[in-house]
Amino acid sequence: MNAFESLGLKHDGRALWVLDQTQLPDAEVWLDGSDPAVMVGLIKRLAVRGAPLIGVAAAASLATFAHRGASASEYAAACAALRAARPTAVNLMWAMDRMKAASTPVTEAQAIFEEDVRLCEGMAIRGAALIQDGEGILTHCNTGGLATAGIGTALGVIRRAHEQGKHIHVYADETRPLLQGGRLTTWELQKLGIPSTLITDSMAALLMRDGKVQRVLVGADRVAANGDFANKVGTYGVAVQARYHGVPFHPVAPFSTVDLACPNGAAIPIELRDATEVRGYGKLRWAPEAMPTWNPSFDVTPVDLVTSLVLDRSVYSASALKAGALAKS
Ligand code: MRU
């Protein structure tokens, strides 16, 4: 395989490595994800995460497995196991369906990686054009280079606006329960030198009331045909707050996140995760051990709360989405 490298994924020609996102920002530890059975575990425990990246990483693991001589039946079983590793981000299913149909898995995985880099550029160009000088921008979860093979979705847009010299200030939601905003988005923002402030999720409404937020940019894990979309839990609440305060709200996603087979948000499968993630974090537990919890990893934001959807190839208003623009594109 040809070597390739992104912020959270790299192939040295022999093995595939993923940056263990559970250890950021304190330690940069690369784990071998060449074996698809290992990659399934890395995806499940969010060592590798973000809708586009899990598709790219799963494809690269499968290609490495094929390159090392996996039989057709071993390849098919690994493909099915990877496809089922997490249920909400459709990029994983999209990438695995491509790998299943591919006659040359190595070439296909490399094409998926390179395509994702280009899709990020498309979103960045279109999204950055919306951003005005001086804006405060709120974002949720992590949607940057750690979540994609390229510069990111929502965070890629923010990065491009910053590189264009626009004076922006980013407010990063910490993103309970697994703190992708607090641990990962902050890490990326500091590396990029983008002026930014970390807030807890419960502070976003107050920040909007105080006039500090002129735009909200978030990613998506699956966009339904009518424009409803699933993203990290908490996104729906941010969208409600943005509407109340008259703040424009934009999901940013590549076409590989659009699922035309889902007519609306109600059809999007939502991952439910372990109670321990709500009762505490890591080794720290603050709730009683047997406390019942509810831990949906994603929520669905209805298209009515969307100002526009930034895709790699176009920007769609909520009214265009409701009129079926995605199906026609
Ligand atoms: O559970 P995660 O960390 O994989 O969730 C990630 C998100 O919800 C992102 O916002 C989404 O994947 C879009 S980012 C490219």
Side-chain angles (χ1 to χ4, degrees):
M1 275 187 84
N2 293 338
F4 60 75
E5 184 163 0
S6 70
L7 192 58
L9 191 71
K10 64 184 175 191
H11 207 293
D12 59 18
R14 289 184 325 107
L16 174 70
W17 301 92
V18 303
L19 179 59
D20 183 356
Q21 298 193 26
T22 66
Q23 297 197 51
L24 290 174
D26 293 328
E28 295 180 25
V29 176
W30 289 84
L31 305 173
D32 191 336
S34 311
D35 177 349
V38 171
M39 180 58 81
V40 168
L42 295 174
I43 291 173
K44 281 184 191 289
R45 70 177 185 84
L46 272 59
V48 53
R49 48 146 298 280
L53 193 70
I54 59 175
V56 174
S61 180
L62 207 48
T64 311
F65 192 47
H67 191 61
R68 291 179 177 181
S71 69
S73 64
E74 287 170 334
Y75 182 90
C79 187
L82 284 163
R83 196 180 190 283
R86 291 187 78 188
T88 303
V90 76
N91 307 64
L92 180 60
M93 295 82 191
W94 172 85
M96 290 304 91
D97 291 346
R98 276 181 67 165
M99 292 300 286
K100 189 176 175 185
S103 49
T104 50
V106 168
T107 313
E108 192 68 8
Q110 273 162 357
I112 289 172
F113 180 94
E114 284 156 22
E115 183 174 14
D116 193 58
V117 174
R118 287 196 301 276
L119 294 173
C120 289
E121 288 301 312
M123 289 176 266
I125 291 166
R126 285 169 180 73
L130 300 171
I131 295 175
Q132 308 297 310
D133 193 45
E135 285 188 351
I137 300 171
L138 182 86
T139 191
H140 191 72
C141 197
N142 171 267
T143 63
L146 288 171
T148 64
I151 65 169
T153 60
L155 203 57
V157 168
I158 289 168
R159 173 179 174 169
R160 183 54 43 81
H162 170 73
E163 288 166 351
Q164 288 170 348
K166 291 176 184 164
H167 299 93
I168 55 173
H169 192 96
V170 179
Y171 294 95
D173 270 359
E174 70 172 349
T175 317
R176 274 285 294 149
L178 293 182
L179 308 177
Q180 290 92 332
R183 296 183 300 105
L184 309 177
T185 301
T186 49
W187 184 76
E188 289 202 44
L189 286 165
Q190 289 210 329
K191 262 181 180 295
L192 295 166
I194 301 176
S196 48
T197 302
L198 173 64
I199 61 167
T200 69
D201 300 353
S202 47
M203 296 167 187
L206 192 57
L207 200 66
M208 291 186 202
R209 187 207 65 181
D210 287 354
K212 296 277 180 21
V213 181
Q214 281 67 49
R215 198 172 298 280
V216 176
L217 294 168
V218 296
D221 287 78
R222 193 183 295 226
V223 181
N226 72 339
D228 294 348
F229 73 98
N231 191 47
K232 179 52 56 196
V233 68
T235 303
Y236 173 42
V238 173
V240 171
Q241 293 164 4
R243 175 56 54 93
Y244 181 78
H245 292 95
V247 174
F249 175 90
H250 313 270
V252 182
F255 83 91
S256 48
T257 303
V258 175
D259 183 2
L260 293 177
C262 265
N264 54 49
I268 299 176
I270 300 295
E271 176 182 9
L272 288 173
R273 294 185 62 86
D274 200 79
T276 52
E277 295 176 354
V278 178
R279 293 190 195 122
Y281 183 79
K283 292 197 172 74
L284 177 67
R285 177 172 52 77
W286 48 72
E289 211 163 348
M291 186 66 201
T293 66
W294 182 49
N295 187 13
S297 193
F298 301 93
D299 59 25
V300 172
T301 300
V303 65
D304 284 319
L305 296 177
V306 168
T307 305
S308 63
L309 166 68
V310 179
L311 270 195
D312 50 280
R313 50 184 68 165
S314 198
V315 177
Y316 296 101
S317 66
S319 52
L321 292 167
K322 283 190 268 188
L326 287 176
K328 291 176 205 144
S329 67

